[in-house]
Amino acid sequence: MSKMDKVRQFQVKPKIWYGIGSVAKLGQQGYQKVCIVTDEGMVKFGLLKMVTDVLEAAGIEYHVFPDVKPDPSTDIVEKGLTHILMDRPDVLIALGGGSSIDTAKGIIYYTYHFKAMFTDREYIVKPQFIAIPTTAGTGSEVTEYAVITDQKTGTKIPLTDDIMMPDAAILDPKLIESVPAGATAATGLDVLTHAVESYVSTGNNPFSRCYAAKACELVFKSLLPSYENGHDLDSKASMQIASSMAGIAFNSSGLGMAHAIAHGVGAQYHLPHGLACAMVLPYVVAFNGKDERAEYLYKRLLESVGEPQDAGASAAATFVRLIFELCGKLGIPTCLKASKADTDNFAEVRDKLIDRAMADTTLTTNPVQPTRDEMGTVVDMVYAGVGCR
């Protein structure tokens, strides 16, 4: 059976403006009324002002919704929904990290479906949606996915709908120049995890592999310089591009077991998502390496980043070594026990972490579907840091 016997789709969106000063594009599009979804940190560190200065210079009316919190919840989205319905902007700008962009996506999603209760969908006018990330990591600016937390139950609500895909993204390296080195490292390793998991995913395709491979190459080239010198705008810009490329890839192909485990580990121990992914990724690569197709794809990724396969070692094992070496240079712990998290309760929560990982939707496109015992073995490695070096 030919691979081409099945009709598939690959969609490339949104429009992307990138480079130093690209935020100025906001003043050149003829916008009339803008709502900016952001958080207090963007106000405190002057990043909001970089956007509002452009709008004011262009005579564009704007108002700010600054109530975004980490792990955006339904009550914040509902508040933003009321804000949008009352003020009726023609453009919604998300400024910040993944939380701001996910909040804006949730507002877009619920605004659209709220209006659909009262009018035919063809008459609904959705505001233009511009995503301006202030970290190089989530890739949320180029995906149609968001995760909102139910305020009452604490349950994560995954949303996916093409109406949440931004119409445009702005990647201005000046907006990430002040990101602390630790956050630069963690978010950059989130990019690497997106790229690697997308590349070997069972949902991969020729288009997604191109984006994922290039993203991987850019991370190995630019993350360390970006970490070592926050004013290296070329490296910062390269990481922004890598983040978006990895986002485009996984938006099409899906992710894998590293994210399935990292979601639970991050929530349990209050770890930044990128840090959780970094600690999980090498153990998952080692696990997936037993699959012939995955091993072949890891070998192709090594070629993309310009690294030879270690003599006498598999491609997966070589990639594991590269990840550990990069984490070491970035000061990133490679297991939970080595992190600052209080993991004394690991034995008590181990089963819950395994159950959450087994039920996570990202596991469905992992190249190897683990048994529960196999998942437990990998979770134990993530905790103790032994077993795959």
Side-chain angles (χ1 to χ4, degrees), residues 197-209:
E197 291 217 285
S198 170
Y199 196 84
V200 302
S201 161
T202 57
N204 75 50
N205 55 72
F207 301 101
S208 68
R209 290 198 301 272

Side-chain angles (χ1 to χ4, degrees), residues 1-10:
M1 179 177 176
S2 168
K3 294 179 181 178
M4 294 298 120
D5 285 345
K6 181 180 179 181
V7 177
R8 303 174 70 180
Q9 174 180 313
F10 183 81

Side-chain angles (χ1 to χ4, degrees), residues 1-280:
M1 179 177 176
S2 168
K3 294 179 181 178
M4 294 298 120
D5 285 345
K6 181 180 179 181
V7 177
R8 303 174 70 180
Q9 174 180 313
F10 183 81
Q11 178 173 286
V12 181
K13 286 184 68 179
K15 177 190 299 180
I16 299 174
W17 290 303
Y18 62 98
I20 298 172
S22 52
V23 73
K25 282 290 183 180
L26 288 173
Q28 303 168 11
Q29 309 306 310
Y31 302 144
Q32 301 296 314
K33 190 174 185 180
V34 170
C35 174
I36 304 172
V37 176
T38 192
D39 60 70
E40 294 179 355
M42 298 300 104
V43 180
K44 178 180 177 181
F45 295 110
L47 299 183
L48 175 63
K49 188 175 186 300
M50 291 177 64
V51 172
T52 57
D53 282 352
V54 171
L55 300 179
E56 289 172 4
I60 299 171
E61 179 184 349
Y62 68 87
H63 58 281
V64 179
F65 179 71
D67 296 343
V68 173
K69 305 294 182 186
D71 296 320
S73 58
T74 47
D75 63 325
I76 298 297
V77 171
E78 288 169 6
K79 188 175 180 181
L81 170 62
T82 302
H83 202 69
I84 295 299
L85 292 173
M86 294 293 292
D87 287 282
R88 302 177 65 183
D90 60 331
V91 181
L92 185 69
I93 294 175
L95 174 69
S99 293
S100 290
I101 298 175
D102 274 9
T103 299
K105 286 178 176 179
I107 292 170
I108 290 276
Y109 179 88
Y110 287 111
T111 297
Y112 180 86
H113 288 284
F114 177 80
K115 290 181 177 180
M117 295 169 60
F118 303 99
T119 187
D120 291 336
R121 292 175 185 266
E122 60 263 32
Y123 298 116
I124 299 174
V125 178
K126 181 180 78 72
Q128 286 282 300
F129 180 22
I130 315 295
I132 309 179
T134 56
T135 62
T138 69
S140 187
E141 69 276 5
V142 294
T143 74
E144 58 193 36
Y145 299 103
V147 178
I148 306 298
T149 301
D150 187 304
Q151 179 67 17
K152 295 180 180 178
T153 66
T155 303
K156 301 284 186 180
I157 306 171
L159 302 176
T160 177
D161 195 311
D162 59 7
I163 65 170
M164 298 192 299
M165 174 68 77
D167 297 291
I170 294 178
L171 311 179
D172 192 326
K174 292 294 290 184
L175 288 166
I176 65 171
E177 186 175 14
S178 60
V179 175
T184 295
T187 55
L189 288 167
D190 192 14
V191 177
L192 181 63
T193 307
H194 290 157
V196 173
E197 291 217 285
S198 170
Y199 196 84
V200 302
S201 161
T202 57
N204 75 50
N205 55 72
F207 301 101
S208 68
R209 290 198 301 272
C210 284
Y211 281 99
K214 187 62 179 180
C216 203
E217 175 193 338
L218 290 175
V219 169
F220 277 103
K221 174 185 175 182
S222 301
L223 179 52
L224 188 58
S226 177
Y227 166 81
E228 292 175 338
N229 179 7
H231 301 295
D232 182 348
L233 294 185
D234 286 340
S235 293
K236 292 281 187 181
S238 182
M239 285 304 302
Q240 286 180 313
I241 292 169
S243 179
S244 289
M245 284 185 164
I248 291 169
F250 82 74
N251 190 64
S252 170
S253 66
L255 291 164
M257 188 173 169
H259 271 78
I261 296 173
H263 287 153
V265 166
Q268 178 64 45
Y269 294 110
H270 308 291
L271 297 170
H273 176 67
L275 178 58
C277 284
M279 287 192 286
V280 175

